[in-house]
Structures are given as C-alpha cells and as structure tokens.
Amino acid sequence: MKIDVSSILKEAGGQIEIDGCVSLPDTKFLGEYRFPEPIKVKGGVSNNGKSLILRADAEGVMITSCARCMKEIAVPMKFHMDENLAREDSGIDADADVILFRDSEIELDDIVYDNFLMNVEGKYLCKEDCKGLCPECGKDLNEGDCGCSNDNIDPRWSALLDIMKDNE
Ligand SMILES: [Zn+2]
Ligand SMILES: [Zn+2]
C-alpha cells in the first residue's frame, strides 16, 4: 500500500488519514509466520514542520506453530507504529530514527513489515500449559501419556543430584 503525501509535504500541520490493508509475506524469523489475510492498518501521517510523522495501529492474525507441540495456531496480533519520515532530498540524515522516502510516496508495506519483525515474539503456545511432545517418541502429550519412561535425567542435572544424595 502506497501513501501519497504530496498534499501535506509543504504544509506544516497537514494530515493524511491511513485506513487500509497491507499484505505481509510468509516469514521465517524467530519462528515461521503466515498471514491468512491482509493486516489492517489505521492511523495517519502528519507534517510537524520538520518531517512527517506516521502513527498507526496494525491489527491482524498470523499463523504460526506452538513452540512446544508444533501444532499450527492462529495468533491475533496488534502493534503500534510510530515513525519519522523524511524525503531523501530533504537534507535530513538517514539514521535509525528516520525513514527516507522518494518523491511523494511512502511505501507502507515495508514499514508495517519492519514493525511486525520488531514486535513479534519468539515463542507462542497453543495454550498456557501445553505439555509439548515426548522427547522420546514424539507423541503429543496433550493427547495423553505415551508410556515412555520419563526418568531419563539430563546429564547436566545428574551430577547435581549425586551431590544432593551425598548430603542426605
Ligand atoms: Zn502446544
Ligand atoms: Zn513417549
């Protein structure tokens, strides 16, 4: 989605409303994410006399997998965007705080995508107490016990347990 800001470029105090949708690509970042439908974006761009300020909220649903049982889950997501924008030829230095744009069009897709990456979490669970998969047989433990013995203790812990036994 492109936003034409030509009408407010030279008008301090000018404002343009944003109300639209942005499609995000399938993404592999901290996990894998897909978007069944475009993300809704609502907000505005305003000219504060020095640069353009974009303030908007994005809202949508993403499909990812539970970090424990790997089941596919739909996760509602919502994030706020607050960005400083300036024209390439405005003389403002490009640094981490300013997004430069060419001519009079802002490419909203890139901004929404970057903000999504900043807001996405590394772990999503299908439910708070998801039991995950059995490390032995791979069975989904939410569906019941698999019968594997669970007394395989991580070798890093066994040394500690030995010490505890000695102290008894
Ligand atoms: Zn799960
Ligand atoms: Zn098992």
Side-chain angles (χ1 to χ4, degrees):
M1 181 187 177
K2 287 188 164 70
I3 304 167
D4 180 1
V5 293
S6 53
S7 64
I8 61 163
L9 264 182
K10 293 192 174 103
E11 186 204 340
Q15 197 156 347
I16 290 173
E17 200 182 312
I18 303 172
D19 190 355
C21 289
V22 166
S23 297
L24 298 184
D26 292 356
T27 299
K28 247 190 195 170
F29 181 52
L30 302 170
E32 285 184 41
Y33 315 103
R34 283 190 292 113
F35 305 90
E37 53 195 41
I39 306 299
K40 286 195 191 84
V41 181
K42 248 188 165 174
V45 183
S46 57
N47 183 338
N48 70 355
K50 270 209 226 136
S51 55
L52 300 184
I53 309 291
L54 176 139
R55 285 205 183 93
D57 289 301
E59 194 171 358
V61 172
M62 69 175 179
I63 308 290
T64 187
S65 46
C66 171
R68 287 189 198 145
C69 71
M70 309 308 287
K71 203 188 297 167
E72 242 186 27
I73 46 173
V75 180
M77 55 158 196
K78 217 175 180 180
F79 53 87
H80 181 72
M81 298 177 285
D82 216 327
E83 302 283 3
N84 260 308
L85 310 159
R87 240 172 94 141
E88 266 181 357
D89 58 3
S90 61
I92 292 178
D93 284 339
D95 55 35
D97 295 332
V98 180
I99 297 172
L100 295 181
F101 62 95
R102 211 176 280 189
D103 301 324
S104 54
E105 267 184 349
I106 292 168
E107 186 48 81
L108 193 61
D109 297 33
D110 297 343
I111 296 174
V112 174
Y113 188 58
D114 287 348
N115 274 273
F116 163 71
L117 294 180
M118 280 191 277
N119 281 280
V120 73
E121 289 163 30
K123 258 188 192 176
Y124 293 92
L125 299 177
C126 62
K127 55 186 177 187
E128 205 56 47
D129 60 345
C130 172
K131 295 191 178 78
L133 305 177
C134 168
E136 292 284 306
C137 68
K139 185 186 153 102
D140 185 344
L141 297 175
N142 296 303
E143 289 164 11
D145 194 25
C146 57
C148 291
S149 66
N150 282 325
D151 46 40
N152 297 313
I153 292 165
D154 188 314
R156 284 169 296 180
W157 288 109
S158 60
L160 186 66
L161 289 174
D162 287 343
I163 294 167
M164 282 160 63
K165 255 182 223 152
D166 289 346
N167 287 342
E168 266 169 24

